[in-house]
Structure formats: structure tokens, C-alpha cells
Amino acid sequence: MAASAAELEHVRKVLNKLSAEAWSDVLKAFGDLPKWDQQIARRALEGAWPELIDTYGNMAASFGADMFEEWADSLQIRRPVVDLAEGVDPERATARAGWALTTSDQLGNLRILADELVKQPYRSTLHDSALRSGAGWARVPTGSETCSFCLMLASRGGVYRSEQIAKLGTNGKKYH
């Protein structure tokens, strides 16, 4: 059973609210900068940006854990193993924000980046928790001529992080 349209709409609204609140805090922290002077903004970002992203990312991860626990039973996932995903590395978040400051649409790109970085811990929490609970993609042998290697891979169960990796492996090539 998949999540209902109403549940998905709830998720969308909560994540968009977190993103909007994060952006509001970014504007409060940096709104007084003179026309977003790149050097001044970069120095200001190094201090406050990672903390803002981390704060809202943690809220998104916590929400993801709540949703995973709520959905686990209906999806017939064994006892949930919730694993809160960490947010983006502070140095990486700052470097990406620094890139946004080099573009002609500094605020627009920074807003898109904030949205992505705030919401990613939600997605990672759901994904990682599902895999730890045994709900991943699995290889399914077909036919009577399945080789021993493919049977061994199938016997591992739902350990693959995506359908593509289950079908093709990490190198993207079919085995047979």
C-alpha cells in the first residue's frame, strides 16, 4: 500500500513550510548586507549558513522519521529501524552557498539551494531507515536457468539502494 494523496500533500506542506522558515531566517540574517556584496556575504555565510541549514535539516529528518514509523506498518515493513540522516556537511553547504553568490541571481540560487539542503535529510532519513528495516530493492531470479551467482545475489534480499542498482549493479551494466 502506497502513501495516500492526502499524506503526500501533508508531507509537501510540512517540508515547504520548513524551507520557507529557513529562507526567512536566511533573509533576516543577511538582509542588511549591501546588495549582497559577494565578499561580505561570503564571510557572513561561513558563520550562520551551515547552522541554519543544519537546524532546519534536523527538523526535516525528524519529520521523516515520524513519517517512516507511521508508514512502516501499512507498507508491511518489519519493525521500523529509524535512522536520522545527518544534514549536509557544513563545509560543503558553505561552498555551495559561495557558488550561489557568484551567480547573477544570487538570492534565487541561494533560495533553491536552501530548499534542497533543508529537505534532503527528510528524504535520506526515509531511504536509509527503509533499507535498515529490510525494505530495499532485491533481485528476483526467473526461469530455471538462473546461474549460481545470480541466485546468490537474489538470496541477499532487499539490500539494493535503487531499482537500477538491483537490476544492473553499481557499474550500470547488466550481468547477463
Side-chain angles (χ1 to χ4, degrees):
M1 178 176 147
S4 71
E7 289 171 320
L8 294 177
E9 180 63 16
H10 171 68
V11 167
R12 186 189 67 75
K13 284 181 179 179
V14 169
L15 291 176
N16 283 344
K17 184 175 187 222
L18 283 174
S19 178
E21 289 173 1
W23 183 244
S24 176
D25 283 355
V26 167
L27 291 179
K28 285 177 194 170
F30 305 116
D32 294 334
L33 296 176
K35 293 189 181 181
W36 284 73
D37 175 86
Q38 188 177 0
Q39 295 227 358
I40 295 170
R42 187 179 297 271
R43 279 191 299 252
L45 279 173
E46 288 174 358
W49 175 261
E51 186 176 321
L52 284 170
I53 295 302
D54 190 53
T55 297
Y56 285 98
N58 286 337
M59 286 188 249
S62 181
F63 177 61
D66 292 343
M67 294 309 300
F68 179 76
E69 287 180 342
E70 185 176 316
W71 290 330
D73 285 337
S74 66
L75 294 171
Q76 298 177 349
I77 296 173
R78 69 178 181 199
R79 184 173 168 2
V81 179
V82 176
D83 185 29
L84 288 181
E86 292 185 24
V88 71
D89 175 70
E91 287 180 22
R92 185 164 184 248
T94 301
R96 293 186 69 198
W99 164 83
L101 295 176
T102 67
T103 66
S104 61
D105 186 9
Q106 294 174 335
L107 287 177
N109 286 320
L110 204 56
R111 184 172 189 165
I112 290 168
L113 182 58
D115 182 69
E116 174 193 330
L117 296 178
V118 165
K119 292 177 180 177
Q120 185 58 49
Y122 166 85
R123 292 186 289 269
S124 295
T125 294
L126 282 180
H127 187 260
D128 295 348
S129 296
L131 287 175
R132 282 181 176 66
S133 295
W137 282 264
R139 290 174 176 257
V140 179
T142 56
S144 61
E145 297 181 21
T146 303
C147 77
S148 298
F149 181 72
C150 287
L151 284 173
M152 181 275 302
L153 291 175
S155 73
R156 298 175 67 210
V159 297
Y160 299 98
R161 296 183 72 83
S162 71
E163 181 179 7
Q164 180 179 359
I165 291 172
K167 286 181 178 177
L168 305 176
T170 55
N171 65 2
K173 297 180 181 175
K174 284 192 133 198
Y175 287 101
H176 300 284

